Amino acid sequence: MSAIAGIYHVKETVPGYHGQQMMQALSKFPADAAQTWKRENVFLGCHAQWIAPESIGEQLPFYDYERRLAITADAMIDNRKELFDKLGIHYDERKIMPDSQLILLAYSKWRDDVVKHLIGDFAFMIWDEKNQKLFGARDFSGTRSLYFHHNNERFAFCTVMEPLLRLPYIQRDVNEEWLAEYLAISTMIDVVDVSKTVIKDIQQVPPSHTVTVINGKVILSKYQVLSFDNKIRFKTNDEYIEAFRDIFQKAVDARLRTFKSVGSHLSGGLDSGSVVSFAAKTLQKQNKRLHTYSSIPAEDFQDYTPRNYFPDERPYISETVDYVGNIDDHYLSLNSINSYTDIDDWLDIYETPYKFFENSFWMKAISEQAGKDDVGILLNGARGNFTVSWGPALEYYGHLLKSMKLIRLARELKMYSRNIGSGRKKLLQVIGKQVFPFLNNGTNYQFPMLINPEFAAKMNVFDKLQNHGIKADGFTGLTIFNIREHLINNEFIWNSSGVAFSKLSLKYGLLMRDPTNDIRVINYCMSLPLDQFINNGMDRALIRNATNGYLPDNVRLNQKNHGLQSADWVHRMIPCWTDFIKEAKQLVKDKGAAQYLNIEAISNALSTAREVQKGDSAFDPELRMLVRSIIVYRFLHSFYLEGGDIYETRMESAKTGIAGS
């Protein structure tokens, strides 16, 4: 939505050109206004994109002369009425007061506890002139990014990292601790220590954290707004459903606040479908239509997937569109782009290596198209698997088996097997292997290790990951019984998707918002008994029951067929396969890359990938590992200097000082 920046010097005056350099670096992003505020030792800036009606013409940074407080903010606050009431804001002021000033008034009342009263997506910094204190925060799930650099004399912050590198005292050096974690984790998690970034001199305010700077001392403090009391109990299922609908509708409605058009991702499944079905009803009352965006396979894609998988989800999407109504649907086949051609764009947007390449091309393309269509809010249901549509049936049935609750298990399996169209004997085999791992006979295939074993040993990375509950195979040990504790204690679960959405929003001048990530929705869902999520042979039971009358039954009750939007990523890469293999060959010969990457594993993957692959290799772990290695390799090259061997570049940089310039 906006990009914020700032500099604080403990003793000396902030040179004016330092702030100008940061703001100039932000000029590549679209903006409705770029404003700054300065005192001798404090500089604040905002590169603003107007989304909400109250943000039009907003003065930001804003200085409150009476309270002697200044703020710059990247925020969309969802509980405005509640805050207005608590703060006693006059009704005439409520319609025109921007979120930044609301946060400032809330800080004036509650000081550092202000974050416990805010619901929404935010990153902000406040200069408290009376107390000579800089205070800021990032929302509980990190949907807005906030980076900073500090030493004993200086503190600088920004929404993105590149403007910080314009300051002469910040060095452009790779953080090997971050890189080791990234390479060692085989799942989609980037790193476990989210206070660090890929740049050694730049840190990040983690999700659910505040940052305080006084006399040059920086304090990061975790705050808690997740409250899984596990005590929400009603007498009937209808009461659970009605309470959910009320909370979810409020979460959706709060995210429709824009003077522009409203759009949404839409697949053929439950999460985005639920968001769309609740949003379209409210927008109809406002005489606005909802624009939906859906990725579909390339036109010449030959479907290789089993019959219960659907790379082309249009039949289900169309049913949702027709049933819900008030929707203008858009379908993007994106024939000219793929995961390989988009690497440079994504490295520029994300500013770090990334792992979600299979979906990267359509995530970016949908945001780009929505921006062109003057969409201000782009909804999604990305967090749904943890919240509204949570309910892993097989894991729950494994618990019943292990607990010897065989009568209940038999009843559930009978209904579940009918719902998904699979025999109970086959299901019992799957559940048995889950409960009794020795039945697997060593057939589980692990993602190839991307990190150089010597680099891993040097950084002691696997011990560190083990301390955070991540095993050598990448799995976190997350279960239906520890999910609440897991969500509370591990910021790394939230961070990567929040950063991606924050930077995509900034790039295309819109705001990506997820009602399934609303704190009220999460707290409600995680406080319910298990049988609200898995019952009567139905997984994801809460959202299936709650969308009765909102979504067509073919979508709402579908447990047999599954969408597979990333199924064609290999097929899309075929025209540039020669270039892909050529770059992989360069990688395995690069001495600099060999310091970090497992060249032996990459070479093995390369030997099987030399020939142009068929579409059905899309889920080959070695091929996926090869693409990930290319992304890291490309990042390291662009990070140091264009072209040349990474090792030689680093050695030359060390001699001439280029790396820190």
Side-chain angles (χ1 to χ4, degrees):
M1 181 175 66
S2 296
I4 60 174
I7 305 170
Y8 166 55
H9 286 182
V10 177
K11 297 178 181 178
E12 60 188 18
T13 300
V14 176
Y17 71 93
H18 284 184
Q20 292 171 7
Q21 286 178 320
M22 293 185 73
M23 295 300 290
Q24 184 179 13
L26 292 172
S27 63
K28 69 177 185 178
F29 301 114
D32 295 294
Q35 303 175 65
T36 61
W37 177 90
K38 190 177 182 302
R39 290 292 187 265
E40 283 191 0
N41 65 330
V42 180
F43 166 85
L44 300 178
C46 183
H47 193 78
Q49 297 172 347
W50 298 338
I51 303 293
E54 305 84 13
S55 66
I56 299 174
E58 177 181 7
Q59 183 182 339
L60 196 64
F62 173 76
Y63 180 69
D64 186 320
Y65 286 91
E66 178 184 347
R67 296 170 178 82
R68 295 175 64 191
L69 298 171
I71 185 171
T72 187
D74 174 20
M76 185 72 87
I77 302 301
D78 296 328
N79 61 329
R80 284 169 60 89
K81 183 181 184 304
E82 175 190 349
L83 290 173
F84 286 146
D85 291 343
K86 287 182 178 180
L87 296 169
I89 306 298
H90 194 277
Y91 286 95
D92 291 341
E93 297 181 69
R94 297 186 179 194
K95 287 187 177 181
I96 61 173
M97 181 175 288
D99 289 338
S100 58
Q101 291 182 33
L102 183 55
I103 294 171
L104 202 64
L105 292 175
Y107 172 80
S108 179
K109 180 177 178 65
W110 294 300
R111 296 296 163 176
D112 293 11
D113 284 336
V114 60
V115 287
K116 298 178 182 179
H117 297 268
L118 302 178
I119 295 176
D121 302 342
F122 58 81
F124 64 84
M125 295 296 294
I126 293 172
W127 171 241
D128 188 335
E129 194 170 41
K130 291 180 182 178
N131 297 301
Q132 291 293 291
K133 164 185 166 183
L134 196 62
F135 175 82
R138 191 173 172 207
D139 66 69
F140 84 96
S141 65
T143 53
R144 315 307 297 163
S145 51
L146 186 58
Y147 300 98
F148 68 92
H149 165 86
H150 76 95
N151 55 38
N152 292 333
E153 301 295 329
R154 307 182 186 95
F155 180 91
F157 66 88
C158 193
T159 300
V160 288
M161 290 189 282
E162 183 59 33
L164 290 169
L165 292 169
R166 300 290 182 95
L167 299 175
Y169 44 83
I170 300 181
Q171 306 299 306
R172 185 184 288 268
D173 293 324
V174 165
N175 185 341
E176 292 190 340
E177 288 186 53
W178 186 98
L179 188 60
E181 289 182 29
Y182 177 90
L183 295 174
I185 299 172
S186 59
T187 61
M188 297 302 290
I189 295 168
D190 283 347
V191 295
V192 293
D193 187 351
V194 295
S195 67
K196 292 183 172 63
T197 75
V198 71
I199 300 174
K200 189 184 297 184
D201 269 3
I202 297 178
Q203 292 178 254
Q204 180 177 215
V205 177
S208 296
H209 276 69
T210 64
V211 58
T212 304
V213 188
I214 301 179
N215 294 325
K217 184 179 181 180
V218 176
I219 302 170
L220 288 173
S221 299
K222 185 169 183 176
Y223 64 90
Q224 191 56 263
V225 291
L226 293 171
S227 57
F228 308 151
D229 58 24
N230 201 28
K231 293 180 181 178
I232 295 178
R233 298 294 183 268
F234 296 120
K235 293 181 179 180
T236 66
N237 284 335
D238 287 345
E239 290 177 284
Y240 286 108
I241 292 168
E242 286 308 311
F244 171 81
R245 285 175 176 168
D246 180 63
I247 291 171
F248 192 58
Q249 189 69 67
K250 289 177 180 176
V252 172
D253 290 353
R255 285 161 175 77
L256 304 178
R257 186 162 55 97
T258 181
F259 62 90
K260 296 185 175 184
S261 298
V262 177
S264 181
H265 287 249
L266 180 59
S267 69
L270 280 171
D271 296 330
S272 61
S274 300
V275 170
V276 163
S277 67
F278 279 73
K281 293 179 185 297
T282 298
L283 289 173
Q284 190 167 29
K285 297 174 185 176
Q286 300 174 1
N287 293 318
K288 296 177 75 171
R289 292 181 67 82
L290 178 64
H291 298 264
T292 61
Y293 298 89
S294 307
S295 170
I296 59 176
E299 291 176 356
D300 58 349
F301 173 66
Q302 299 293 317
D303 187 2
Y304 61 87
T305 61
R307 63 181 182 178
N308 61 319
Y309 286 94
F310 280 79
D312 190 345
E313 299 183 59
R314 272 178 289 187
Y316 291 100
I317 295 171
S318 297
E319 278 205 57
T320 295
V321 169
D322 293 341
Y323 187 90
V324 172
N326 195 43
I327 291 174
D328 291 333
D329 47 335
H330 307 268
Y331 301 90
L332 286 69
S333 60
L334 311 171
N335 296 310
S336 61
I337 62 174
N338 59 60
S339 299
Y340 184 68
T341 57
D342 262 14
I343 290 177
D344 285 341
D345 283 349
W346 262 107
L347 289 176
D348 181 61
I349 293 169
Y350 202 56
E351 302 185 290
T352 187
Y354 59 95
K355 295 180 177 179
F356 46 82
F357 68 87
E358 296 97 332
N359 297 331
S360 61
F361 60 91
W362 63 258
M363 287 173 58
K364 182 175 76 71
I366 285 177
S367 299
E368 184 176 12
Q369 185 59 51
K372 291 177 181 177
D373 294 341
D374 198 36
V375 166
I377 298 291
L378 182 62
L379 302 170
N380 65 74
R383 198 71 72 183
N385 286 337
F386 276 127
T387 59
V388 301
S389 67
W390 185 68
L394 292 180
E395 187 180 343
Y396 178 61
Y397 298 153
H399 161 70
L400 294 180
L401 176 60
K402 199 170 185 178
S403 304
M404 298 303 291
K405 297 179 180 178
L406 301 183
I407 295 177
R408 186 173 180 181
L409 174 62
R411 185 175 66 250
E412 283 285 336
L413 274 183
K414 181 179 179 180
M415 291 184 285
Y416 185 71
S417 64
R418 183 178 64 239
N419 289 344
I420 69 170
S422 179
R424 277 174 280 180
K425 183 178 180 180
K426 184 176 181 180
L427 289 174
L428 275 172
Q429 290 176 343
V430 175
I431 294 167
K433 290 178 181 180
Q434 188 180 82
V435 176
F436 308 110
F438 61 85
L439 296 176
N440 285 316
N441 297 319
T443 55
N444 284 347
Y445 185 79
Q446 295 184 10
F447 196 90
M449 188 56 62
L450 187 54
I451 190 171
N452 180 326
E454 293 181 3
F455 179 50
K458 170 189 170 185
M459 305 305 296
N460 197 31
V461 67
F462 288 113
D463 286 346
K464 183 175 183 180
L465 297 182
Q466 186 71 39
N467 291 336
H468 285 80
I470 296 182
K471 302 175 184 178
D473 58 10
F475 291 101
T476 60
L478 177 64
T479 71
I480 58 175
F481 298 105
N482 67 10
I483 185 173
R484 296 169 174 86
E485 180 182 354
H486 203 69
L487 292 176
I488 288 174
N489 294 333
N490 299 304
E491 292 86 15
F492 57 76
I493 293 176
W494 311 94
N495 186 68
S496 60
S497 60
V499 169
F501 292 161
S502 178
K503 294 181 178 181
L504 274 177
S505 296
L506 184 63
K507 170 76 173 179
Y508 296 110
L510 45 75
L511 184 58
M512 299 182 71
R513 306 222 62 200
D514 181 2
T516 69
N517 192 53
D518 186 285
I519 188 66
R520 297 162 294 192
V521 171
I522 297 174
N523 281 335
Y524 177 78
C525 290
M526 290 296 98
S527 298
L528 299 182
L530 268 176
D531 61 13
Q532 284 302 305
F533 297 96
I534 309 134
N535 60 55
N536 297 322
M538 187 185 296
D539 61 3
R540 307 166 77 182
L542 178 67
I543 194 65
R544 295 187 193 279
N545 289 326
T547 51
N548 186 13
Y550 287 75
L551 289 174
D553 285 352
N554 280 346
V555 173
R556 181 176 70 90
L557 301 178
N558 172 34
Q559 290 182 256
K560 294 182 180 179
N561 301 317
H562 307 280
L564 207 58
Q565 290 171 302
S566 60
D568 67 339
W569 75 266
V570 170
H571 170 81
R572 289 174 176 274
M573 280 180 55
I574 289 175
C576 52
W577 202 261
T578 301
D579 292 335
F580 170 61
I581 296 301
K582 180 179 179 181
E583 187 169 7
K585 289 179 179 178
Q586 292 173 345
L587 186 163
V588 298
K589 296 178 182 179
D590 194 301
K591 291 180 290 184
Q595 296 176 88
Y596 303 125
L597 300 174
N598 187 344
I599 298 300
E600 181 180 354
I602 294 171
S603 297
N604 290 338
L606 179 59
S607 66
T608 61
R610 290 177 188 271
E611 299 297 326
V612 176
Q613 301 294 294
K614 296 181 180 179
D616 59 6
S617 60
F619 301 99
D620 183 337
E622 286 194 328
L623 187 55
R624 293 169 59 221
M625 185 268 286
L626 190 59
V627 179
R628 282 194 190 181
S629 68
I630 290 289
I631 291 170
V632 175
Y633 178 63
R634 190 88 65 90
F635 172 82
L636 291 172
H637 263 281
S638 65
F639 189 81
Y640 286 111
L641 286 173
E642 291 295 331
D645 185 283
I646 296 172
Y647 177 80
E648 299 298 336
T649 299
R650 292 190 68 197
M651 294 304 99
E652 187 63 27
S653 297
K655 293 176 183 177
T656 62
I658 292 175
S661 63

